[in-house]
Amino acid sequence: MIDKYKRSIDYARISVIDKCNLNCIYCTTKENINFSPERGTISDSEIIILCKALSQLGIKNIKITGGEPLIRNGIVDLIANIKNIDGIENITLTTNGIILDKYIASLKKAGLDSMNISLDALDNDLFKSITGHNKINELLKNIEMALEYNFSSIKINCVLLNDLNHSEYVNIASLAKHKNIFVRFIEVMPIGEGKSQGFISSEMIKIELEKEFGKFEGTTRTLGNGPALYYNVANFIGKIGFISAISNQFCHKCNRIRITSDGSIKNCLYYKKNASIKHLLNEENFKELKETLYDIVYEKEKSHDFDNTNESRNADMENMSDIGG
Ligand code: SAM
Protein backbone atom coordinates (compact mmCIF):
# COMPACT_ATOMS: atom_id res chain seq x y z
CA MET A 1 0.00 0.00 0.00
CA ILE A 2 1.16 3.51 -0.71
CA ASP A 3 -0.13 6.32 1.48
CA LYS A 4 -0.80 9.88 0.40
CA TYR A 5 2.75 10.89 1.35
CA LYS A 6 4.04 8.17 -1.02
CA ARG A 7 5.36 5.97 1.76
CA SER A 8 5.27 2.26 1.02
CA ILE A 9 3.49 0.40 3.81
CA ASP A 10 4.53 -3.25 3.96
CA TYR A 11 4.65 -3.98 7.69
CA ALA A 12 1.81 -4.59 10.16
CA ARG A 13 2.08 -5.02 13.90
CA ILE A 14 -0.80 -7.06 15.27
CA SER A 15 -1.48 -7.03 19.00
CA VAL A 16 -3.08 -10.37 19.81
CA ILE A 17 -3.80 -9.72 23.49
CA ASP A 18 -3.74 -6.70 25.78
CA LYS A 19 -2.78 -8.67 28.89
CA CYS A 20 0.72 -9.41 30.06
CA ASN A 21 2.50 -11.59 32.59
CA LEU A 22 4.66 -8.62 33.62
CA ASN A 23 3.54 -5.22 34.86
CA CYS A 24 6.20 -2.87 33.53
CA ILE A 25 5.64 0.46 35.19
CA TYR A 26 6.07 2.49 32.01
CA CYS A 27 3.85 0.26 29.88
CA THR A 28 0.72 -0.80 31.71
CA THR A 29 -1.54 0.00 34.62
CA LYS A 30 -3.42 -3.28 34.37
CA GLU A 31 -3.29 -5.88 37.09
CA ASN A 32 -2.90 -8.87 34.86
CA ILE A 33 -4.49 -11.71 36.68
CA ASN A 34 -6.60 -13.47 34.10
CA PHE A 35 -4.61 -14.34 30.98
CA SER A 36 -7.32 -15.74 28.74
CA PRO A 37 -8.37 -13.48 25.88
CA GLU A 38 -11.54 -11.64 26.77
CA ARG A 39 -14.62 -11.02 24.73
CA GLY A 40 -13.77 -8.32 22.25
CA THR A 41 -10.29 -9.64 21.50
CA ILE A 42 -9.85 -10.55 17.84
CA SER A 43 -10.14 -14.30 17.32
CA ASP A 44 -7.70 -16.51 15.42
CA SER A 45 -9.99 -16.72 12.40
CA GLU A 46 -10.42 -12.94 12.37
CA ILE A 47 -6.64 -12.48 12.50
CA ILE A 48 -6.18 -14.88 9.58
CA ILE A 49 -8.74 -13.03 7.46
CA LEU A 50 -7.07 -9.76 8.39
CA CYS A 51 -3.64 -11.08 7.37
CA LYS A 52 -4.99 -12.40 4.06
CA ALA A 53 -6.44 -8.98 3.30
CA LEU A 54 -3.24 -7.24 4.36
CA SER A 55 -1.06 -9.52 2.25
CA GLN A 56 -3.25 -8.90 -0.80
CA LEU A 57 -2.70 -5.20 -0.20
CA GLY A 58 1.08 -5.59 -0.13
CA ILE A 59 1.90 -6.23 3.52
CA LYS A 60 4.79 -8.72 3.58
CA ASN A 61 5.90 -8.48 7.18
CA ILE A 62 3.85 -9.20 10.27
CA LYS A 63 4.92 -8.60 13.86
CA ILE A 64 2.95 -10.39 16.58
CA THR A 65 2.83 -8.35 19.76
CA GLY A 66 0.67 -7.67 22.82
CA GLY A 67 0.37 -7.47 25.92
CA GLU A 68 2.40 -10.64 26.03
CA PRO A 69 1.62 -12.67 22.90
CA LEU A 70 2.92 -15.94 24.36
CA ILE A 71 0.12 -16.03 26.95
CA ARG A 72 -2.53 -16.13 24.24
CA ASN A 73 -3.98 -19.64 23.85
CA GLY A 74 -3.02 -21.23 20.54
CA ILE A 75 -0.36 -18.64 19.70
CA VAL A 76 1.94 -21.14 17.97
CA ASP A 77 -0.76 -22.41 15.60
CA LEU A 78 -1.79 -18.84 14.89
CA ILE A 79 1.77 -17.96 13.90
CA ALA A 80 2.05 -21.08 11.71
CA ASN A 81 -1.21 -20.21 9.95
CA ILE A 82 -0.16 -16.62 9.31
CA LYS A 83 3.19 -17.77 7.96
CA ASN A 84 1.36 -20.01 5.47
CA ILE A 85 -0.54 -17.11 3.91
CA ASP A 86 0.60 -16.31 0.39
CA GLY A 87 2.59 -13.10 0.31
CA ILE A 88 3.61 -13.08 3.98
CA GLU A 89 7.39 -13.25 3.84
CA ASN A 90 8.32 -12.60 7.45
CA ILE A 91 6.60 -13.24 10.71
CA THR A 92 8.27 -12.01 13.85
CA LEU A 93 7.40 -11.77 17.53
CA THR A 94 8.00 -9.30 20.30
CA THR A 95 7.97 -10.90 23.73
CA ASN A 96 9.14 -10.35 27.29
CA GLY A 97 10.69 -13.82 27.00
CA ILE A 98 9.61 -15.03 30.43
CA ILE A 99 7.87 -18.19 29.22
CA LEU A 100 9.72 -18.51 25.94
CA ASP A 101 11.30 -21.87 26.89
CA LYS A 102 7.88 -23.53 26.69
CA TYR A 103 7.30 -22.40 23.12
CA ILE A 104 10.65 -21.87 21.46
CA ALA A 105 10.92 -25.21 19.65
CA SER A 106 7.37 -25.07 18.35
CA LEU A 107 7.71 -21.42 17.34
CA LYS A 108 10.72 -22.31 15.21
CA LYS A 109 8.78 -25.20 13.68
CA ALA A 110 5.82 -22.89 13.04
CA GLY A 111 8.04 -20.74 10.83
CA LEU A 112 8.70 -17.79 13.11
CA ASP A 113 11.53 -15.82 11.50
CA SER A 114 12.91 -13.71 14.30
CA MET A 115 12.24 -12.33 17.72
CA ASN A 116 12.56 -9.16 19.76
CA ILE A 117 12.96 -9.73 23.48
CA SER A 118 12.44 -6.90 25.97
CA LEU A 119 15.07 -6.42 28.66
CA ASP A 120 15.29 -3.18 30.63
CA ALA A 121 17.54 -4.32 33.49
CA LEU A 122 19.89 -7.17 34.36
CA ASP A 123 20.04 -6.46 38.06
CA ASN A 124 17.54 -8.65 39.86
CA ASP A 125 16.11 -5.97 42.17
CA LEU A 126 15.90 -3.40 39.42
CA PHE A 127 14.24 -5.86 37.06
CA LYS A 128 11.68 -6.56 39.75
CA SER A 129 11.06 -2.90 40.45
CA ILE A 130 10.44 -2.20 36.76
CA THR A 131 8.43 -5.30 35.86
CA GLY A 132 6.86 -6.22 39.20
CA HIS A 133 8.26 -9.76 38.91
CA ASN A 134 11.32 -11.63 40.03
CA LYS A 135 12.03 -13.25 36.68
CA ILE A 136 15.37 -12.04 35.36
CA ASN A 137 17.00 -15.47 35.65
CA GLU A 138 14.29 -17.13 33.57
CA LEU A 139 14.58 -14.39 30.99
CA LEU A 140 18.36 -14.67 30.67
CA LYS A 141 18.18 -18.45 30.34
CA ASN A 142 15.55 -18.07 27.64
CA ILE A 143 17.64 -15.56 25.68
CA GLU A 144 20.51 -18.09 25.68
CA MET A 145 18.11 -20.77 24.54
CA ALA A 146 16.68 -18.60 21.76
CA LEU A 147 20.19 -18.11 20.36
CA GLU A 148 20.49 -21.84 19.77
CA TYR A 149 17.53 -22.00 17.43
CA ASN A 150 19.02 -20.25 14.45
CA PHE A 151 16.40 -17.53 14.05
CA SER A 152 17.35 -14.94 11.48
CA SER A 153 17.92 -12.49 14.33
CA ILE A 154 17.45 -12.10 18.06
CA LYS A 155 17.06 -8.49 19.11
CA ILE A 156 17.06 -7.20 22.67
CA ASN A 157 14.93 -4.10 23.29
CA CYS A 158 15.96 -1.87 26.17
CA VAL A 159 13.84 1.22 26.79
CA LEU A 160 15.85 4.22 28.02
CA LEU A 161 14.08 4.95 31.30
CA ASN A 162 16.91 7.26 32.30
CA ASP A 163 17.30 7.41 36.10
CA LEU A 164 15.50 4.15 36.52
CA ASN A 165 17.81 1.92 34.46
CA HIS A 166 20.71 4.17 33.43
CA SER A 167 23.13 2.08 35.49
CA GLU A 168 22.34 -0.92 33.26
CA TYR A 169 23.09 0.30 29.75
CA VAL A 170 26.76 -0.72 29.63
CA ASN A 171 26.00 -4.21 30.90
CA ILE A 172 23.05 -4.64 28.57
CA ALA A 173 25.13 -3.44 25.60
CA SER A 174 27.79 -5.99 26.59
CA LEU A 175 25.36 -8.79 25.75
CA ALA A 176 26.18 -8.10 22.10
CA LYS A 177 29.90 -8.51 22.70
CA HIS A 178 30.13 -12.27 22.82
CA LYS A 179 26.89 -13.22 21.13
CA ASN A 180 25.21 -12.63 17.83
CA ILE A 181 22.56 -10.36 19.35
CA PHE A 182 21.33 -6.95 18.29
CA VAL A 183 20.92 -4.82 21.39
CA ARG A 184 18.65 -1.85 20.71
CA PHE A 185 18.18 1.15 22.96
CA ILE A 186 14.78 2.74 22.52
CA GLU A 187 13.84 6.27 23.52
CA VAL A 188 10.88 6.18 25.85
CA MET A 189 7.76 7.54 24.19
CA PRO A 190 5.37 9.75 26.13
CA ILE A 191 2.51 7.30 25.83
CA GLY A 192 0.38 6.37 28.84
CA GLU A 193 2.60 5.53 31.79
CA GLY A 194 5.62 6.29 29.60
CA LYS A 195 4.84 9.99 30.14
CA SER A 196 6.01 9.85 33.74
CA GLN A 197 9.48 8.57 32.77
CA GLY A 198 12.43 10.92 32.51
CA PHE A 199 13.58 11.23 28.90
CA ILE A 200 17.14 10.75 27.76
CA SER A 201 18.11 10.80 24.10
CA SER A 202 19.73 7.83 22.44
CA GLU A 203 22.57 10.11 21.29
CA MET A 204 23.54 10.77 24.93
CA ILE A 205 23.64 7.05 25.60
CA LYS A 206 25.62 6.39 22.44
CA ILE A 207 28.26 8.85 23.65
CA GLU A 208 28.42 7.13 27.02
CA LEU A 209 28.68 3.68 25.48
CA GLU A 210 31.43 4.82 23.12
CA LYS A 211 33.46 5.96 26.16
CA GLU A 212 33.23 2.38 27.38
CA PHE A 213 33.57 0.40 24.14
CA GLY A 214 35.30 2.72 21.67
CA LYS A 215 33.91 4.55 18.66
CA PHE A 216 30.84 3.02 17.05
CA GLU A 217 31.04 2.61 13.30
CA GLY A 218 27.86 3.59 11.52
CA THR A 219 26.09 1.15 9.29
CA THR A 220 23.81 2.76 6.76
CA ARG A 221 21.96 -0.52 6.46
CA THR A 222 19.01 -1.06 8.73
CA LEU A 223 18.23 -4.65 9.65
CA GLY A 224 14.75 -6.09 9.52
CA ASN A 225 11.72 -3.87 9.04
CA GLY A 226 12.32 -1.34 11.74
CA PRO A 227 13.63 2.17 12.19
CA ALA A 228 16.69 1.21 14.26
CA LEU A 229 20.08 2.47 13.20
CA TYR A 230 22.72 -0.13 13.95
CA TYR A 231 26.42 0.29 14.66
CA ASN A 232 29.39 -2.03 14.57
CA VAL A 233 31.48 -2.01 17.70
CA ALA A 234 35.09 -3.22 17.75
CA ASN A 235 35.36 -6.75 19.16
CA PHE A 236 31.60 -7.22 19.28
CA ILE A 237 29.96 -10.16 17.53
CA GLY A 238 26.54 -8.51 17.65
CA LYS A 239 25.55 -4.92 16.97
CA ILE A 240 24.20 -2.00 18.96
CA GLY A 241 21.15 -0.18 17.63
CA PHE A 242 19.21 2.94 18.57
CA ILE A 243 15.58 3.77 17.96
CA SER A 244 15.27 7.50 18.31
CA ALA A 245 11.60 8.18 17.66
CA ILE A 246 11.65 11.41 19.65
CA SER A 247 15.07 12.98 19.10
CA ASN A 248 15.39 11.94 15.48
CA GLN A 249 11.92 11.46 14.08
CA PHE A 250 11.78 8.95 11.21
CA CYS A 251 8.10 9.34 10.24
CA HIS A 252 9.01 10.22 6.64
CA LYS A 253 10.08 6.62 6.14
CA CYS A 254 7.47 4.96 8.34
CA ASN A 255 6.41 1.68 6.72
CA ARG A 256 3.96 0.37 9.31
CA ILE A 257 0.45 0.17 10.61
CA ARG A 258 -0.89 -1.34 13.80
CA ILE A 259 -3.90 -3.48 14.59
CA THR A 260 -4.91 -3.50 18.24
CA SER A 261 -6.27 -6.55 20.04
CA ASP A 262 -9.83 -5.21 19.88
CA GLY A 263 -9.65 -5.17 16.08
CA SER A 264 -8.92 -1.51 15.47
CA ILE A 265 -6.50 -0.03 12.99
CA LYS A 266 -3.97 2.50 14.17
CA ASN A 267 -1.89 4.24 11.53
CA CYS A 268 0.40 6.08 13.92
CA LEU A 269 1.51 5.40 17.51
CA TYR A 270 0.75 8.97 18.55
CA TYR A 271 -2.81 9.33 17.33
CA LYS A 272 -5.99 7.63 18.47
CA LYS A 273 -7.11 4.47 16.71
CA ASN A 274 -8.39 5.33 13.24
CA ALA A 275 -11.33 2.92 13.18
CA SER A 276 -12.61 -0.42 14.35
CA ILE A 277 -12.54 -3.02 11.58
CA LYS A 278 -13.60 -5.96 13.74
CA HIS A 279 -17.05 -6.16 12.10
CA LEU A 280 -15.32 -6.64 8.72
CA LEU A 281 -13.09 -9.53 9.76
CA ASN A 282 -15.12 -12.28 8.08
CA GLU A 283 -15.35 -13.91 4.63
CA GLU A 284 -18.59 -12.09 3.70
CA ASN A 285 -17.05 -8.64 4.14
CA PHE A 286 -13.63 -9.45 2.68
CA LYS A 287 -13.90 -7.03 -0.22
CA GLU A 288 -15.10 -4.21 2.03
CA LEU A 289 -12.34 -5.06 4.52
CA LYS A 290 -9.68 -4.59 1.85
CA GLU A 291 -11.21 -1.35 0.62
CA THR A 292 -11.48 -0.01 4.17
CA LEU A 293 -7.89 -0.92 5.01
CA TYR A 294 -6.70 0.68 1.79
CA ASP A 295 -8.61 3.90 2.43
CA ILE A 296 -7.51 4.21 6.05
CA VAL A 297 -3.86 3.51 5.29
CA TYR A 298 -3.93 6.03 2.43
CA GLU A 299 -4.81 8.70 5.02
CA LYS A 300 -1.94 7.74 7.35
CA GLU A 301 -0.83 10.77 9.36
CA LYS A 302 2.28 12.55 8.14
CA SER A 303 4.13 12.39 11.45
CA HIS A 304 3.69 11.95 15.16
CA ASP A 305 3.31 15.00 17.38
CA PHE A 306 4.96 13.89 20.62
CA ASP A 307 6.65 17.28 20.93
CA ASN A 308 3.30 18.99 21.31
CA THR A 309 3.07 19.66 25.00
CA ASN A 310 -0.54 20.83 24.68
CA GLU A 311 -1.49 17.42 23.34
CA SER A 312 -3.88 17.51 20.45
CA ARG A 313 -7.36 16.17 21.02
CA ASN A 314 -6.42 13.32 18.74
CA ALA A 315 -3.57 12.09 20.89
CA ASP A 316 -3.96 8.53 22.07
CA MET A 317 -4.29 8.23 25.86
CA GLU A 318 -3.84 4.48 26.04
CA ASN A 319 -0.89 2.59 27.44
CA MET A 320 1.61 0.83 25.22
CA SER A 321 0.35 -2.53 26.51
CA ASP A 322 -2.94 -1.73 24.75
CA ILE A 323 -1.20 -0.80 21.52
CA GLY A 324 1.57 -3.37 21.20
CA GLY A 325 4.61 -1.10 20.98
N1 SAM B 1 5.16 -8.06 25.97
C1 SAM B 1 5.92 -7.89 24.77
C2 SAM B 1 7.29 -7.33 25.05
O1 SAM B 1 7.63 -7.14 26.23
O2 SAM B 1 8.05 -7.11 24.10
C3 SAM B 1 5.24 -7.10 23.67
C4 SAM B 1 4.49 -5.87 24.01
S1 SAM B 1 5.43 -4.49 24.59
C5 SAM B 1 4.16 -3.27 24.64
C6 SAM B 1 6.39 -4.07 23.16
C7 SAM B 1 7.55 -3.14 23.40
O3 SAM B 1 7.08 -1.83 23.70
C8 SAM B 1 8.47 -3.54 24.54
O4 SAM B 1 9.80 -3.64 24.07
C9 SAM B 1 8.34 -2.39 25.51
O5 SAM B 1 9.52 -2.17 26.22
C10 SAM B 1 8.01 -1.24 24.58
N2 SAM B 1 7.40 -0.08 25.23
C11 SAM B 1 6.38 -0.05 26.09
N3 SAM B 1 6.08 1.22 26.48
C12 SAM B 1 6.95 2.02 25.82
C13 SAM B 1 7.18 3.44 25.78
N4 SAM B 1 6.41 4.29 26.48
N5 SAM B 1 8.16 3.91 24.98
C14 SAM B 1 8.93 3.06 24.25
N6 SAM B 1 8.77 1.71 24.24
C15 SAM B 1 7.81 1.20 25.02
Side-chain angles (χ1 to χ4, degrees):
M1 277 175 285
I2 304 286
D3 72 8
K4 67 177 170 191
Y5 300 104
K6 308 243 177 317
R7 292 170 296 195
S8 170
I9 311 300
D10 64 359
Y11 173 57
R13 296 177 68 96
I14 303 178
S15 172
V16 297
I17 189 166
D18 63 356
K19 292 192 166 53
C20 192
N21 49 352
L22 296 183
N23 284 88
C24 298
I25 49 175
Y26 62 96
C27 185
T28 187
T29 43
K30 289 199 181 88
E31 266 303 321
N32 293 318
I33 306 155
N34 173 10
F35 293 156
S36 56
E38 285 171 349
R39 227 156 25 120
T41 303
I42 31 177
S43 66
D44 287 5
S45 58
E46 287 172 332
I47 293 173
I48 294 301
I49 286 178
L50 169 70
C51 290
K52 283 184 181 158
L54 289 172
S55 82
Q56 290 180 22
L57 290 167
I59 298 285
K60 300 187 182 82
N61 306 295
I62 301 278
K63 169 84 76 201
I64 298 298
T65 178
E68 173 49 42
L70 293 183
I71 63 174
R72 179 178 167 121
N73 289 332
I75 187 67
V76 174
D77 289 343
L78 180 62
I79 287 174
N81 290 333
I82 295 174
K83 178 74 183 199
N84 277 334
I85 294 172
D86 277 350
I88 299 299
E89 293 174 5
N90 267 295
I91 179 152
T92 60
L93 175 77
T94 180
T95 172
N96 59 35
I98 303 298
I99 56 169
L100 192 54
D101 50 326
K102 295 197 180 78
Y103 298 99
I104 187 97
S106 44
L107 285 168
K108 179 71 188 170
K109 220 163 138 197
L112 186 75
D113 290 288
S114 68
M115 235 184 292
N116 295 357
I117 303 176
S118 302
L119 173 68
D120 299 322
L122 289 168
D123 175 79
N124 197 33
D125 294 341
L126 199 50
F127 185 86
K128 180 156 189 246
S129 68
I130 294 173
T131 66
H133 292 262
N134 214 343
K135 295 280 181 190
I136 186 63
N137 292 333
E138 284 87 337
L139 173 51
L140 293 177
K141 255 191 268 155
N142 290 345
I143 292 173
E144 292 284 336
M145 192 184 284
L147 285 166
E148 285 163 20
Y149 277 81
N150 209 16
F151 287 99
S152 67
S153 65
I154 300 290
K155 297 172 185 155
I156 301 294
N157 285 344
C158 172
V159 178
L160 298 169
L161 303 167
N162 202 12
D163 291 344
L164 204 55
N165 64 354
H166 203 138
S167 54
E168 299 286 282
Y169 304 149
V170 166
N171 289 339
I172 292 177
S174 299
L175 293 174
K177 187 164 186 178
H178 303 293
K179 298 187 166 70
N180 189 18
I181 292 184
F182 302 94
V183 173
R184 295 127 49 98
F185 293 97
I186 302 177
E187 287 178 353
V188 67
M189 284 180 254
I191 290 180
E193 294 300 304
K195 285 187 192 131
S196 8
Q197 300 304 319
F199 177 81
I200 187 154
S201 74
S202 55
E203 185 55 28
M204 295 288 290
I205 300 309
K206 178 170 167 273
I207 292 168
E208 286 182 21
L209 293 177
E210 284 183 317
K211 281 190 194 139
E212 184 71 27
F213 299 115
K215 186 114 187 81
F216 289 4
E217 298 298 329
T219 51
T220 47
R221 196 167 60 94
T222 49
L223 301 161
N225 308 301
L229 191 59
Y230 292 94
Y231 292 86
N232 296 317
V233 185
N235 304 318
F236 271 47
I237 297 174
K239 289 184 197 290
I240 303 291
F242 297 93
I243 301 183
S244 321
I246 306 299
S247 67
N248 194 3
Q249 206 189 90
F250 37 73
C251 305
H252 61 287
K253 50 182 183 190
C254 185
N255 63 345
R256 60 193 55 197
I257 55 167
R258 293 172 168 81
I259 310 292
T260 54
S261 60
D262 62 357
S264 299
I265 179 163
K266 197 167 151 61
N267 272 334
C268 172
L269 257 182
Y270 174 81
Y271 294 100
K272 285 185 182 140
K273 295 167 183 170
N274 298 80
S276 173
I277 47 166
K278 193 169 191 305
H279 61 292
L280 299 175
L281 299 176
N282 50 63
E283 296 293 356
E284 298 77 61
N285 290 311
F286 192 70
K287 187 167 169 283
E288 191 183 340
L289 171 64
K290 277 174 63 179
E291 287 164 2
T292 305
L293 285 167
Y294 184 91
D295 290 346
I296 294 174
V297 174
Y298 184 78
E299 294 296 331
K300 185 172 156 68
E301 294 79 0
K302 188 173 183 187
S303 60
H304 71 63
D305 197 14
F306 284 123
D307 292 338
N308 182 352
T309 42
N310 298 322
E311 242 162 42
S312 83
R313 270 182 291 138
N314 269 335
D316 197 339
M317 297 299 166
E318 293 193 60
N319 274 316
M320 203 66 111
S321 58
D322 294 308
I323 301 169

